[in-house]
Amino acid sequence: DIQMTQSPSSLSASVGDRVTITCRASQSINSYLNWYQQKSGQAPKFLIFAASTLQRGVPSRFSGSGSGTNFTLTISSLQPEDFATYFCQQGYSSPPTFGPGTKVEI
Amino acid sequence: EVQLVESGGGLIKPGGSLRLSCVASGFTFSNGWMSWVRQAPGKGLEWVGRIKSKADGGTTDYAAPVKGRFTISRDDSKNTLYLQMNSLKTEDTAVYHCTTEGYTYGPLFDYWGQGALVTVSS
């Protein structure tokens, strides 16, 4: 199975900050990388697919980049509703696997 | 609006069985591939398995830790997805989310239910 890692595991930030989360795959996954947001007590929400394409309705302050083994999720100006845990997921090979998550805290 | 509502969770002893249900609405359920994804308390997300639409063969795939113990099925007449869990182990304790499964660059999970908590403990 392809192993996914994320860094940092948690970070503290303020409203208006630029935040960057890194996701790494144990082997090349081209651009087969998706991102999810999970707020406390809620189901995950699908944010980005194919490494950089925003799902409909996702604010443009979110962006994704990368290919191969290294990927980033960037929030350009953190808003109060963005405090959550973010997971990456690879779809390159079965089984689909998720990163351990990055918690963005105030 | 897509809605997925799971039910059937609870406390069960190791070795026991449990069946989860997920009622779907807001999309054409029969056309959709569906997956179960679980989340152990305080942990990350783990894909459990999927069922394809009947038009695509209706076949199932499972993650290694549950293969041979869990069975995914669907009743398109009831817009309902099922997860039959047998020979449960303490490590199966998790919130089980029903998800729709899309595909662009590989599988993705675009809509999620709130989840059903399964606790396996003696």
Side-chain angles (χ1 to χ4, degrees):
Chain A
D1 298 0
I2 295 177
Q3 306 303 314
M4 306 299 293
T5 59
Q6 288 181 235
S7 60
S9 56
S10 66
L11 65 90
S12 295
S14 300
V15 173
D17 285 354
R18 181 181 181 88
V19 168
T20 299
I21 296 167
T22 297
C23 173
R24 289 196 170 89
S26 60
Q27 67 182 74
S28 176
I29 58 171
N30 293 335
S31 295
Y32 288 61
L33 193 282
N34 307 310
W35 288 98
Y36 302 83
Q37 174 195 64
Q38 185 177 32
K39 297 180 182 178
S40 181
Q42 296 186 18
K45 175 186 174 184
F46 175 48
L47 292 181
I48 290 173
F49 62 95
S52 61
T53 304
L54 265 59
Q55 171 70 334
R56 274 192 311 274
V58 174
S60 59
R61 64 182 178 272
F62 289 90
S63 64
S65 66
S67 67
T69 59
N70 294 327
F71 301 87
T72 59
L73 171 69
T74 299
I75 309 171
S76 60
S77 178
L78 199 65
Q79 297 302 300
E81 60 268 31
D82 301 335
F83 291 95
T85 300
Y86 295 84
F87 296 93
C88 59
Q89 173 248 321
Q90 66 83 19
Y92 183 77
S93 71
S94 191
T97 48
F98 293 85
T102 294
K103 186 172 185 179
V104 177
E105 300 175 293
I106 300 173
Chain B
E1 178 194 5
V2 172
Q3 286 199 319
L4 301 168
V5 180
E6 301 92 340
S7 61
L11 174 62
I12 188 79
K13 287 183 167 50
S17 298
L18 203 61
R19 188 177 83 157
L20 303 183
S21 301
C22 169
V23 177
S25 59
F27 67 104
T28 305
F29 179 76
S30 59
N31 291 347
W33 291 27
M34 301 294 296
S35 272
W36 290 95
V37 177
R38 68 185 180 182
Q39 188 169 26
K43 302 293 186 183
L45 300 165
E46 180 185 26
W47 178 76
V48 172
R50 74 161 64 85
I51 186 166
K52 299 178 183 178
S53 64
K54 285 192 168 51
D56 290 321
T59 55
T60 52
D61 299 292
Y62 299 95
V66 308
K67 195 169 186 178
R69 300 188 297 122
F70 288 13
T71 302
I72 298 173
S73 60
R74 63 191 301 159
D75 185 339
D76 290 344
S77 69
K78 295 181 179 178
N79 284 0
T80 302
L81 176 73
Y82 301 101
L83 178 64
Q84 177 67 45
M85 302 181 290
N86 298 332
S87 303
L88 281 160
K89 305 175 181 180
T90 55
E91 53 263 41
D92 295 319
T93 294
V95 173
Y96 286 74
H97 296 279
C98 161
T99 78
T100 58
E101 183 176 323
Y103 192 99
T104 53
Y105 276 57
L108 54 87
F109 308 102
D110 38 5
Y111 295 97
W112 297 63
Q114 277 291 108
L117 176 60
V118 174
T119 303
V120 185
S121 174
S122 54

